[in-house]
Amino acid sequence: MIERLPRVRDPRDRLLPSDLRRPVIGAPMAGGPTTPELIAAVGEAGGLGMIGSGYLDAAATREEIARVRELTAAPFGVNVFLVDRADSGAALDGVGGPGAVDRYAAALVPVAERLGITLAGAPDFTDFDQAATLAALVADPVPVVSFTFGIPDRDVVSALQEVGTAVVVTVAGVRDARRAVEVGADWLSVQSAEAGGHRSTTTVGEQPDSVATVDLVRAVREALPDVPFVAAGGISTPADVAAVVEAGADGVQLGTVLLRTPEAGTSPLYRAALADPRFTESRPTRCYTGRFARALVNGFVAEFDALAPPAYPHLHVLTGPMRKAAADAGDVEVPPLWAGSGWRAADTYADRPAAEIVAELWDRAGQ
């Protein structure tokens, strides 16, 4: 029986990648794929599972934390989307103002009608209960809290660290990595555009660059030689793991390779699409949420990729009913099929338990 970790660690002893038996992070894939069972499996293999709270309110986040604690004594973390009204407004101003969302909604009407639903037009801004979620994480700490879509304020970082939580910031380049270190982040998740997850950049409408994960890791390590970080983006084989560790990463983050595990909450439609030979390309696109994330190129991506404004979370809320209706109807050409650049290599690990995948990828890399 594994001894249960105290919920509040000594603030001077916050969890780092080097503290893990296998420094492998299970990506916080919000919206269903990352389940408490998947988090527990990654943790029991010596890695770190992460709750994706991006679309959860504070109450639902607390419920997920409780479910994970029931399943495992291993450490785990919570990922928070930093959503800012000012950033969203600035992005819209750069593409013609709030009317850009209405124009996009109008372009989607034929798809919605085909699916038998009515779009309500431009939705209101929401930050998904951000302040209450952060307050809950201070009141009932977890070992790690990571942030995506921005750099948290120093007071947020300090409040979490004071209760023993390690603060991780997801960054997309050297500039953001430096800023994260300046506010006191304990470690970083360095994510290239090869990742299937949402692009983390503080410039909301910025087009993802084409820098490979290994090259991004080298750049961040050269700029910040003493800062711990893990690498994310297209990591699906032991060779991928070995390459980023050799380039300077202290660990890795896995996402796409875990989507077809028994523990993942990936829908049958999504699982089948990842193995479907009709899909030959994955591409960073903001057509579903207003923020860039890499998806298989289905009919929706091909048609609407170039039309979508950088309006998060407006597009996420706008397209939600349409995505659900298509999934319910078994229409693979509409829902988002998030997939990193190594999704084909991940076929090797289809239907295998998550713990086996974590162990095999790390151990066979020679780490």
Side-chain angles (χ1 to χ4, degrees):
M1 180 69 177
I2 299 175
E3 182 179 355
R4 183 170 294 277
L5 291 176
R7 290 188 180 181
V8 181
R9 294 171 59 89
D10 185 327
R12 297 165 298 179
D13 187 29
R14 295 185 293 273
L15 187 72
L16 297 175
S18 58
D19 296 323
L20 299 169
R21 181 157 49 92
R22 294 185 175 100
V24 176
I25 314 304
M29 298 177 284
T34 295
T35 62
E37 291 76 14
L38 180 57
I39 292 166
V42 172
E44 296 294 342
L48 182 77
M50 296 290 294
I51 294 171
S53 77
Y55 306 133
L56 304 178
D57 61 16
T61 299
R62 289 194 298 268
E63 290 174 4
E64 285 291 283
I65 290 171
R67 289 179 62 199
V68 174
R69 285 175 173 156
E70 290 175 355
L71 293 174
T72 184
F76 64 95
V78 176
N79 176 256
V80 177
F81 283 178
L82 280 181
V83 188
D84 185 88
R85 183 186 294 272
D87 282 348
S88 182
L92 283 170
D93 287 343
V95 291
V101 179
D102 286 317
R103 292 191 293 274
Y104 190 62
L108 298 180
V109 166
V111 179
E113 289 180 343
R114 177 170 61 80
L115 293 168
I117 64 170
T118 301
L119 294 180
D124 294 332
F125 176 86
T126 177
D127 67 1
F128 302 103
D129 210 19
Q130 183 172 283
T133 297
L134 291 173
L137 292 170
V138 170
D140 185 14
V142 296
V144 174
V145 169
S146 69
F147 292 93
T148 298
F149 289 167
I151 311 294
D153 293 337
R154 185 179 289 274
D155 59 345
V156 171
V157 174
S158 296
L160 289 164
Q161 291 174 333
E162 285 171 5
V163 295
T165 297
V167 174
V168 181
V169 178
T170 308
V171 300
V174 171
R175 178 188 60 187
D176 284 354
R178 291 187 188 278
R179 290 187 57 208
V181 171
E182 288 170 2
V183 301
D186 291 288
W187 44 287
L188 309 174
S189 177
V190 175
Q191 181 199 56
S192 80
E194 292 188 80
H198 274 86
R199 177 71 164 168
S200 189
T201 174
T202 52
T203 304
V204 175
E206 187 175 275
Q207 175 72 36
D209 53 43
S210 57
V211 177
T213 303
V214 169
D215 294 330
L216 181 58
V217 166
R218 289 197 185 102
V220 173
R221 179 51 72 211
E222 181 177 352
L224 300 167
D226 300 320
V227 176
F229 67 83
V230 299
I235 299 172
S236 299
T237 68
D240 296 332
V241 175
V244 297
V245 171
E246 183 179 354
D250 298 288
V252 297
Q253 179 167 293
L254 306 179
T256 303
V257 75
L258 299 176
L259 283 171
R260 293 160 69 185
T261 61
E263 299 92 345
T266 315
S267 70
L269 185 77
Y270 190 179
R271 288 176 188 266
L274 290 167
D276 194 329
R278 88 176 81 171
F279 296 111
T280 59
E281 177 190 0
S282 68
R283 176 192 307 172
T285 181
R286 62 187 179 208
C287 65
Y288 292 108
T289 68
R291 287 272 197 159
F292 282 107
R294 182 177 286 273
L296 299 182
V297 179
N298 59 8
F300 191 89
V301 173
E303 183 173 358
F304 295 105
D305 183 32
L307 300 178
Y312 182 91
H314 304 81
L315 265 59
H316 167 71
V317 178
L318 173 69
T319 64
M322 189 168 55
R323 286 150 34 199
K324 182 180 185 304
D328 290 346
D331 185 349
V332 76
E333 294 298 334
V334 174
L337 306 169
W338 308 124
S341 63
W343 96 95
R344 283 296 183 215
D347 283 348
T348 303
Y349 298 96
D351 304 318
R352 291 181 57 185
E356 285 187 11
I357 295 172
V358 169
E360 182 167 325
L361 288 181
W362 186 258
D363 296 352
R364 286 186 58 194
Q367 305 308 319

